[in-house]
Amino acid sequence: MNETTRAPTLVLMRHGQSEDNARDLFSGLRDPALTPRGVEEAKAAGRAMRARGLHFDVAFTSRLQRAQTTLSLLLSELGRPDLPVATDAALNERDYGALAGLNKTQARARFGTEQVRSWRKSYAAVPPGGESLAMAAARVWPFFEGTILPRLRAGASVLVVAHGNSLRALLVQLDGIAPEAIEDVNLGTAEFLTYAPTPEGRWMRKPAA
């Protein structure tokens, strides 16, 4: 299949390990840099995409540096540092409010293990001063439908590098995951998922290589 007839592809990827990840802190809208491990994770993801023959026409990312740096590093590995990139706050990590900057052990000691688990994983629970996953989905999914999906339908292949929760919000819709089941879904740092179009116009996740 040549460049002009290649079917469009959608790839969703979480950023590499950040300094907050390494310290087991809630990040939210904090803006930590990648760790050396996170840098290597991003590069390795780029090499893996290149080995799979993935090609992109445009990339989208958040306004936070851990996602932007991850994208830049993997595009260098792909040999596409010139790929058009759009940044938008709609793809930012969810706002963790009062939890941001707290170590998860400290948070459990302060608020209780079950409460913290609910704030982290459930769809509807709202941390103090922050966003629930449902609230994050209310900005992420409209952005996907209004900005990313039209590019895919026009035949472009799209790479999205974002955050664990902004991507989980997309998976609820793309994978048809029930809100109560999203608690069990987690993306590791620099993990990426590949989707291909179906004849019905939906997007189907391809098996991991």
Side-chain angles (χ1 to χ4, degrees):
M1 188 175 286
N2 61 38
E3 290 289 334
T4 60
T5 60
R6 180 183 293 116
T9 298
L10 169 66
V11 172
L12 307 179
M13 177 174 160
R14 186 184 174 193
H15 61 79
Q17 186 193 60
S18 73
E19 293 171 345
D20 279 3
N21 294 146
R23 297 168 61 196
D24 203 27
L25 305 182
F26 285 97
S27 288
L29 299 182
R30 287 162 53 86
D31 201 18
L34 295 184
T35 62
R37 170 181 157 181
V39 168
E40 291 307 312
E41 288 177 337
K43 291 179 178 179
R47 292 191 294 271
M49 290 182 192
R50 188 167 189 169
R52 296 184 193 185
L54 292 172
H55 298 263
F56 302 103
D57 300 296
V58 64
F60 293 88
T61 190
S62 76
R63 296 211 174 144
L64 300 172
Q65 66 169 325
R66 57 192 184 275
Q68 294 182 10
T69 303
T70 296
L71 176 58
S72 178
L73 290 166
L74 75 86
L75 289 181
S76 292
E77 293 292 331
L78 281 171
R80 289 300 313 276
D82 59 340
L83 189 77
V85 173
T87 63
D88 199 285
L91 294 173
N92 283 358
E93 179 58 291
R94 64 185 279 208
D95 184 351
Y96 269 118
L99 298 180
L102 288 181
N103 179 279
K104 293 183 175 68
T105 299
Q106 295 173 324
R108 286 189 287 267
R110 181 178 302 181
F111 299 108
T113 298
E114 181 56 30
Q115 180 63 79
V116 171
R117 185 209 62 77
S118 179
W119 285 333
R120 285 187 67 199
K121 295 296 185 179
S122 77
Y123 192 68
V126 184
E131 291 179 298
S132 65
L133 188 59
M135 293 162 69
R139 57 177 165 83
V140 177
W141 185 248
F143 178 77
F144 181 85
E145 286 191 304
T147 303
I148 297 176
L149 194 54
R151 300 297 298 271
L152 291 165
R153 287 174 172 164
S157 288
V158 176
L159 171 63
V160 179
V161 177
H163 305 266
N165 285 296
S166 52
L167 294 176
R168 287 171 72 227
L170 283 180
L171 297 184
V172 169
Q173 296 287 344
L174 286 174
D175 292 346
I177 300 172
E180 60 271 16
I182 197 65
E183 296 185 24
D184 299 321
V185 176
N186 183 59
L187 284 172
T189 53
E191 182 178 351
F192 64 90
L193 307 174
T194 305
Y195 291 79
T198 70
E200 298 76 29
R202 296 179 59 83
W203 290 85
M204 180 68 66
R205 190 192 301 189
K206 298 174 69 174

